[in-house]
Amino acid sequence: YSIQLFSGQFGIGDSISRLVSKNFIEDSVYFYFETPNYKVQLGKYRSKIEAQKSLREVSKVFKSAFILKPNTKT
């Protein structure tokens, strides 16, 4: 699981990525392009419960943050 913080333009995404890297040091920050937007995601959590704990803190700053379920191919 991961938490998506932003989806949109490069400049804003880059700024958010840097801000998150400084303030949420214990988690991995991912900044990448997925057509047509740049995305900023936080963490690689083993369980949804771990992601929910981080989401509580993150949502204080990023009101629209949400949890992404990992892709599982069977």
Side-chain angles (χ1 to χ4, degrees):
Y1 294 88
S2 62
I3 298 172
Q4 183 156 312
L5 304 174
F6 174 79
S7 178
Q9 297 176 341
F10 175 82
I12 298 168
D14 187 45
S15 296
I16 289 173
S17 175
R18 291 171 194 239
L19 175 75
V20 171
S21 293
K22 290 178 184 174
N23 293 318
F24 297 94
I25 297 168
E26 69 278 356
D27 291 320
S28 301
V29 177
Y30 301 94
F31 179 51
Y32 63 95
F33 181 74
E34 185 176 287
T35 306
N37 294 311
Y38 287 88
K39 298 187 178 195
V40 178
Q41 294 179 355
L42 182 66
K44 286 209 176 212
Y45 305 100
R46 293 178 184 233
S47 71
K48 189 172 183 176
I49 293 171
E50 288 179 26
Q52 288 171 330
K53 288 178 183 177
S54 286
L55 181 61
R56 280 189 214 115
E57 290 300 313
V58 170
S59 64
K60 292 175 184 175
V61 178
F62 299 96
K63 304 291 185 202
S64 62
F66 60 93
I67 295 173
L68 291 171
K69 185 176 181 179
N71 291 335
T72 54
K73 296 180 182 180
T74 55

